[in-house]
Amino acid sequence: MRYFLSMDSKYIIDISPDAEKDLLDIEAYIVNHFLSEQAVKTVMGTIQQTLLNLQDYPGVGINVAERLASKKAYSEYSRLQMVIAGNYLVFYVVSGNTVQIYRILYQKRNWIKIFK
């Protein structure tokens, strides 16, 4: 699903089905464990602001592809980048004028295992 978060940007944000599921899971977890709508708004707002920043400055991320390069040097993850969004990590690849969001994961998850 494509999102045009800011009409003034040169980049399009494309959120993968896995990342969309991650967002739903994050929201459900916060609602079920913290019972706070304000916490949901705060966390989701932080993630949304990070996506807006990526749309304007996609090069700000940390290149994490070398950590996955063992057998995936020429895979879709060979240009994988990561940016921090509060307690979450946003994983993405820039291709042309599109920022493809692959996953949005809690910082303490073993993301290397997830991408291998």
Side-chain angles (χ1 to χ4, degrees), residues 4 28 35 37 55 63 67 70 73-74 82 91 105 116:
F4 293 89
L35 305 173
E37 285 296 320
Q55 193 173 24
N63 184 340
R67 294 186 185 184
S70 59
Y74 300 102
M82 173 189 71
F91 294 90
L105 304 172
K116 284 202 176 208

Side-chain angles (χ1 to χ4, degrees), residues 50-63 81-84 92 94:
T50 300
L51 296 179
L52 283 168
N53 291 343
L54 280 178
Q55 193 173 24
D56 291 328
Y57 307 103
V60 300
I62 301 163
N63 184 340
Q81 296 182 65
M82 173 189 71
V83 68
I84 297 171
Y92 68 98
V94 179

Side-chain angles (χ1 to χ4, degrees), residues 16 18-19 22 89-91 101-105 109 114-115:
S16 73
D18 284 339
D22 292 337
L89 304 174
V90 177
F91 294 90
I101 307 298
Y102 280 97
R103 297 297 303 263
I104 302 169
L105 304 172
R109 287 192 63 186
I114 291 169
F115 281 100

Side-chain angles (χ1 to χ4, degrees), residues 39-106:
V40 171
K41 288 179 185 177
T42 300
V43 170
M44 299 310 275
T46 299
I47 293 170
Q48 182 179 14
Q49 186 59 52
T50 300
L51 296 179
L52 283 168
N53 291 343
L54 280 178
Q55 193 173 24
D56 291 328
Y57 307 103
V60 300
I62 301 163
N63 184 340
V64 295
E66 65 271 1
R67 294 186 185 184
L68 303 171
S70 59
K71 294 185 180 175
K72 296 197 175 243
Y74 300 102
S75 75
E76 62 188 300
Y77 302 130
S78 65
R79 297 182 324 258
L80 188 67
Q81 296 182 65
M82 173 189 71
V83 68
I84 297 171
N87 289 328
Y88 295 87
L89 304 174
V90 177
F91 294 90
Y92 68 98
V93 170
V94 179
S95 180
N97 71 335
T98 302
V99 178
Q100 173 69 50
I101 307 298
Y102 280 97
R103 297 297 303 263
I104 302 169
L105 304 172
Y106 186 66

